[in-house]
Amino acid sequence: MTSIDDTLSEIRWLRNEIWRCRRSLKTVLPGAERKAVEKRLLDQLSAFERLLSTAFPLTLSSNMYSAKSTTIGRTDSSEARIENDAIPSSGSFGKSNSG
């Protein structure tokens, strides 16, 4: 079994490879070389996403936990309001858990 340190190291390596590919694509490359770098970039991105999904299987939905709904500030500020759409009401929670 792979340790978390090995997994994180591989994630960093893939991230760096993606950055290198993107920097290369910003330069002037011959057609065949550009195609090769683009293919490598796509392969690296796929590997990166695959590794992230196995290393960190829990993800948060961006629409449920958006910055807008979790902004906390002064209580008299309009930014202090927290939307409760992501939190189930006590009525539905009680109904779903009652036998």
Side-chain angles (χ1 to χ4, degrees), residues 16-27 29 37:
N16 292 338
E17 287 296 310
I18 290 167
W19 286 349
R20 281 187 201 105
C21 287
R22 287 181 175 161
R23 277 194 311 267
S24 293
L25 289 173
K26 289 180 181 179
T27 64
L29 297 171
V37 172

Side-chain angles (χ1 to χ4, degrees), residues 7 10-11 14-15 18 22 41-57 59:
T7 303
E10 190 173 353
I11 288 171
L14 282 167
R15 180 200 59 199
I18 290 167
R22 287 181 175 161
L41 176 60
L42 290 175
D43 292 343
Q44 298 293 346
L45 286 170
S46 298
F48 185 75
E49 289 176 8
R50 198 170 33 254
L51 186 59
L52 282 179
S53 68
T54 58
F56 306 105
T59 58

Side-chain angles (χ1 to χ4, degrees), residues 54-67:
T54 58
F56 306 105
L58 299 176
T59 58
L60 299 177
S61 172
S62 61
N63 62 357
M64 184 180 289
Y65 296 102
S66 67

Side-chain angles (χ1 to χ4, degrees), residues 3-14 16 51:
S3 74
I4 190 69
D5 290 334
D6 293 338
T7 303
L8 292 174
S9 177
E10 190 173 353
I11 288 171
R12 281 189 298 274
W13 181 83
L14 282 167
N16 292 338
L51 186 59

Side-chain angles (χ1 to χ4, degrees), residues 77-98:
S77 168
S78 62
E79 293 179 350
R81 295 188 190 109
I82 300 174
E83 296 174 8
N84 292 324
D85 297 324
I87 303 170
S89 67
S90 60
S92 64
F93 182 77
K95 289 178 188 173
S96 64
N97 285 336
S98 62

